[in-house]
Amino acid sequence: MSDSSFRTVTIVGATGSVGYPITEAFLNDGSYIVKILRRKPDENEKAKILVSKGAEIVYANYDQKDDLVKALKGTDVIVSTIFDRVNFTSLYDLQAPLLAAAKEASVKRFIPSEFASGYKTVDHVMYEDKIKFREELERSGLEYTYIHTGLFQEFLGSFGFNVKNKKAKFYGDGNTRIPTTSLPDVGKYTVETLKIPEARNAHIRVTGSNLTLNEYLQKFEKASGSKWEVTEDRDVRYRFKNKIEPIPSFMDDYIAYETENSNFLDNDNDKFSFIPEPVTKVIETLVSQA
Ligand SMILES: NC(=O)c1ccc[n+]([C@@H]2O[C@H](COP(=O)([O-])OP(=O)(O)OC[C@H]3O[C@@H](n4cnc5c(N)ncnc54)[C@H](OP(=O)(O)O)[C@@H]3O)[C@@H](O)[C@H]2O)c1
């Protein structure tokens, strides 16, 4: 089942919210040499834990191609989970130097920083850079896999479910279906894409749960033992685009876009060897931590 030509996997952005569980999943799998590529040595707790579990850290200056090529020598697969929350540098600009170096270092497969809803066409800036990078990646001749997971279940709070105040804000109709996957399962799916032939040069869509907003709400209410207050804001995108008061934030516009567009018509779950965790488990954890 496994592609034995993949021995060494380098995760870029391993200290991030999705990079960390993906790196953990590779370490737990045990079939690979796991490296994490970082920009600079600093006191990063997550990096320390990953090293204690068996990952090797490699540092490189991402602006220096030779440095990156050296850092990537011997890598068979790059998993990019990079994201710049400080300057919001485009994902194209962040990943293009990695791809150029990967090609020179004879990396075989590049898994880019996707891990969301996987649209092929978009009218939202968050996705434009991902799609521009896909075009560059496909021209490069490297193998690729685009992994689409829907929303991370651990991020339901940012999607309008305010556990602390027991309030939900829907950015669309309550009957809208939203695919979600837990972060540990995103990690496991990512590892297995290296072992299934269908993932070579393909879009892979996986989903832990595919419930409506109302159904997620019911689970939050059950876990917290009380009814929640619900509001709906259905014209966020229109107000954002036309600067109509109250003008929504960029993130509100993004969440409204996701609410309208993130439903997968089908998924590839049956190509994988495991059943994803139901969302109930993550919701119970979110409620217990609030
Ligand atoms: N489906 C969802 O619900 C969802 C939610 C959030 C994100 N995502 C997607 O998941 C992917 C990763 O996002 P994330 O939230 O995990 O990212 P993140 O936690 O913000 O950061 C990822 C890592 O990128 C590296 N990084 C940050 N700025 C950088 C820069 N300027 N240059 C190079 N490296 C930089 C850092 O690693 P080092 O410091 O170790 O170098 C950082 O830990 C993105 O494609 C994003 O769209 C999806």
Side-chain angles (χ1 to χ4, degrees), residues 12-20 36-40 42 44 46-47 62 80-87 89 91 94-95 112-117 126-127 130 149-153 155 159 181 183 254 258:
V12 193
T15 57
S17 42
V18 66
Y20 184 79
I36 63 176
L37 182 63
R38 302 201 62 217
R39 295 161 292 165
K40 54 179 185 303
D42 61 10
N44 185 294
K46 284 180 171 177
Y62 293 12
S80 165
T81 61
I82 210 164
F83 195 63
D84 176 4
R85 281 181 194 279
V86 178
N87 300 309
T89 314
L91 271 173
L94 286 177
Q95 297 185 108
S113 193
E114 291 271 350
F115 307 105
S117 301
M126 283 280 235
Y127 283 93
K130 290 187 175 182
T149 59
L151 181 76
F152 303 149
Q153 292 173 353
F155 282 47
F159 225 69
T181 307
L183 283 166
Y254 172 63
E258 287 281 357

Side-chain angles (χ1 to χ4, degrees), residues 95 104 110 136 173 246 249:
Q95 297 185 108
E104 211 161 303
F110 195 120
E136 181 98 357
D173 188 302
S249 68

Side-chain angles (χ1 to χ4, degrees), residues 9-49:
V9 177
T10 298
I11 297 105
V12 193
T15 57
S17 42
V18 66
Y20 184 79
I22 287 176
T23 310
E24 273 193 315
F26 273 105
L27 291 166
N28 290 341
D29 180 84
S31 331
Y32 304 95
I33 296 166
V34 179
K35 296 186 180 181
I36 63 176
L37 182 63
R38 302 201 62 217
R39 295 161 292 165
K40 54 179 185 303
D42 61 10
E43 284 297 305
N44 185 294
E45 225 20 72
K46 284 180 171 177
K48 273 191 205 160
I49 297 171

Side-chain angles (χ1 to χ4, degrees), residues 115-169:
F115 307 105
S117 301
Y119 314 107
K120 289 188 178 166
T121 54
V122 285
D123 71 344
H124 197 282
V125 68
M126 283 280 235
Y127 283 93
E128 283 165 7
D129 297 324
K130 290 187 175 182
I131 288 175
K132 188 175 163 200
F133 184 72
R134 285 180 207 164
E135 289 161 6
E136 181 98 357
L137 179 52
E138 287 168 32
R139 275 195 299 270
S140 74
L142 267 70
E143 289 182 17
Y144 56 87
T145 305
Y146 305 124
I147 303 176
H148 309 302
T149 59
L151 181 76
F152 303 149
Q153 292 173 353
E154 290 79 355
F155 282 47
L156 275 164
S158 0
F159 225 69
F161 291 96
N162 185 331
V163 183
K164 208 167 180 168
N165 298 325
K166 299 193 169 85
K167 286 183 180 172
K169 180 175 170 186

Side-chain angles (χ1 to χ4, degrees), residues 155-208:
F155 282 47
L156 275 164
S158 0
F159 225 69
F161 291 96
N162 185 331
V163 183
K164 208 167 180 168
N165 298 325
K166 299 193 169 85
K167 286 183 180 172
K169 180 175 170 186
F170 292 166
Y171 293 77
D173 188 302
N175 293 316
T176 309
R177 228 163 253 289
I178 308 284
T180 62
T181 307
S182 77
L183 283 166
D185 283 339
V186 174
K188 283 161 70 180
Y189 280 124
T190 303
V191 174
E192 275 204 22
T193 64
L194 301 192
K195 306 184 188 211
I196 61 168
E198 297 95 326
R200 182 178 170 271
N201 296 344
H203 287 263
I204 291 291
R205 291 185 171 73
V206 289
T207 316

